[in-house]
Amino acid sequence: MTSPRPLIAGNWKMNGLSPALAEARAVADGVGVTTARVAICPPAILIHRMVQALAGSTVLIGGQDHHWDDAGAFTGDTSAAMLADAGAQLVILGHSERRAGYRESDDVVGRKVLAALRAGLEPIVCVGETLEQRQAGEALNIVRSQVRGSLPDALAGTAFSVAYEPVWAIGTGLTPTTPEIEEVHQAIRSTLIDMFGEAARAVPILYGGSVKPGNAAEILHASEVGGALVGGASLKAEDFLGIIRAV
Ligand code: PGA
């Protein structure tokens, strides 16, 4: 079974006004030949203009979240079909900032994954333990149970990825050691194989949390690491390109 093609995805979070489109274009212009798939996930309102700004490039565009229903009376929300209609091909779901800040349970994340599949979006499903959970020796159990609870059976045979993002490593400059990353990624891989069979060896398992040009090579070459989900360092083309080049 061949290794999955690495995915390097930038999560702009709630950052980026019109001038930031030039930064995305600089990524597209600088990406060159790479074995990785590269994606930028800007705020939803920028997606359509980013599609235009990146015309002719191989850089994929994704959303960051969407509602679990396809349409209806949900003031202020965005549906998966709207992201796809604007030009998104992927979507980040279950990010810890959604799980913690908006109390999204595994069940809610799973329903959002189903909505993504209905809209033809490729989900990047995030999991990860808090510092307290890691210190209590619970990291592997938490991550395994998030994978089981957030990934519906309907993902079998579809393109998706899982992102391991320890909550304590996001935006903090802290990262787990390489053996710690490998231990969790191996646990995710074996859970995926349990759930989806041998085909799950082709699912990229991304690492996310304070990935920078300076630590990207070590992280990306760790066992079972199939790419990165990058927050802060994806906002500057030079930094994001430095990570892409480390694949
Ligand atoms: P960070 O964020 O790279 O800024 O730590 C990662 C993420 O939240 O996806």
Side-chain angles (χ1 to χ4, degrees), residues 175-216:
T175 48
T177 63
T178 299
E180 284 170 341
I181 293 174
E182 290 179 335
E183 183 183 36
V184 179
H185 279 234
Q186 269 148 22
I188 293 172
R189 178 71 68 206
S190 59
T191 307
L192 289 173
I193 291 170
D194 260 13
M195 295 170 71
F196 299 107
E198 285 299 311
R201 291 197 191 278
V203 174
I205 304 174
L206 317 186
Y207 168 79
S210 297
V211 179
K212 307 261 181 301
N215 62 17

